[in-house]
Amino acid sequence: MTNIKCPQCGRDFVRRVPRAGRVEILLSAFYVYPFRCQLCGHRFRSFQRGVRYVWVQEDRREYDRIEINFPVTFSGENVSGEGMLLNLSMGGCRFTTTADLGTGMIVKLALQIPGSVPPVIVDAAVVIVRKTDPGNASVEFLRWQETERERLQHFIRLLIGRGADSKPLQA
Ligand SMILES: [Zn+2]
């Protein structure tokens, strides 16, 4: 377990992310690895003396998801509906829904974050539905107003600050 802080926002909620390109593969031979801040999205490299990582398939995600339940509504070209959030990160979320969502659909989302009026709006998110995960859908956030992004960031920061004992780094 390391304690790496984001050089941009100073928080230690960072996740090691996949190496991109030859340079980063080379750097990893010298214990320099890429990370992404889970709050501000800043990507950076950090030296971790003597630390060797072994990649597994699930490690390819860039953000860790926080388990949380609150309502979400969505609308797309031929679909609209509502669901209940299962988890959330600055990169996307997963929710239960009875709506007929399909992989590749683009939807607009309204996240009804607790104690917050109005909801956080994500202008565009791409849907991913897995056969192995019936009744649930995931989305990756594609486009939103900076003000909305900041509101969600603030909410996630509160969740983390509440001592959810998050362990974003998995060696
Ligand atoms: Zn940061």
Side-chain angles (χ1 to χ4, degrees), residues 2-8 14-37 41-49 53 62 169:
T2 52
N3 192 18
I4 298 164
K5 284 188 162 50
C6 169
Q8 185 151 295
V14 302
R15 177 181 173 79
R16 184 173 50 91
V17 294
R19 295 167 297 178
R22 283 162 178 252
V23 171
E24 290 197 342
I25 287 168
L26 182 67
L27 284 171
S28 68
F30 302 99
Y31 307 109
V32 174
Y33 301 100
F35 294 85
R36 185 179 295 283
C37 176
H42 184 58
R43 193 177 185 283
F44 60 97
R45 297 175 188 146
S46 182
F47 174 69
Q48 291 189 283
R49 183 199 301 272
Y53 291 116
E62 295 258 324
L169 284 171

Side-chain angles (χ1 to χ4, degrees), residues 123-166:
D123 291 324
V126 61
V127 176
I128 300 149
V129 176
R130 293 184 177 86
K131 285 203 183 83
T132 53
D133 192 20
N136 299 324
S138 295
V139 298
E140 299 288 332
F141 302 151
L142 298 178
R143 194 180 71 239
W144 44 357
Q145 301 283 328
E146 184 59 26
T147 49
E148 297 299 279
R149 207 185 74 87
E150 282 169 6
R151 288 177 61 218
L152 189 67
Q153 189 174 322
H154 179 70
F155 173 66
I156 288 180
R157 188 177 290 147
L158 288 178
L159 285 177
I160 298 164
R162 203 182 290 164
D165 194 29
S166 53

